[in-house]
Amino acid sequence: MTTPNPLLEGLSDAVGFVGGALAGYWAGKLLGWNIFSAGYDNASIGAILLVGLGGGAGLHLARFWRGKQKSKDSDTPS
């Protein structure tokens, strides 16, 4: 059993979260929703929701990727 590399875990989580949040931000921009508009109208709330969902999905994808890498490493004969 190998010990997890905290640097790899932290960096992959950060890249996944930020990448997903940016994807959510740009999806909102394509829909015409502005996360930084004054007040909390429906479009602003929708944009905030997209950024949060995108960040969570990116974090999940990064952890899934790390799990695949771990299983690939353990499948190789030593």
Side-chain angles (χ1 to χ4, degrees):
M1 181 173 168
T2 62
T3 59
N5 183 351
L7 180 63
L8 178 65
E9 285 188 18
L11 285 177
S12 65
D13 283 353
V15 168
F17 179 79
V18 171
L22 284 173
Y25 171 77
W26 286 110
K29 290 295 264 186
L30 285 174
L31 292 171
W33 299 347
N34 185 7
I35 192 171
F36 300 114
S37 66
Y40 288 109
D41 57 348
N42 289 336
S44 178
I45 298 288
I48 292 169
L49 183 66
L50 280 178
V51 169
L53 288 174
L59 181 61
H60 181 73
L61 187 62
R63 291 181 178 176
F64 177 77
W65 173 78
R66 245 186 0 253
K68 284 290 194 185
Q69 295 298 317
K70 189 181 296 186
S71 68
K72 191 186 310 182
D73 289 344
S74 64
D75 287 345
T76 58
S78 42

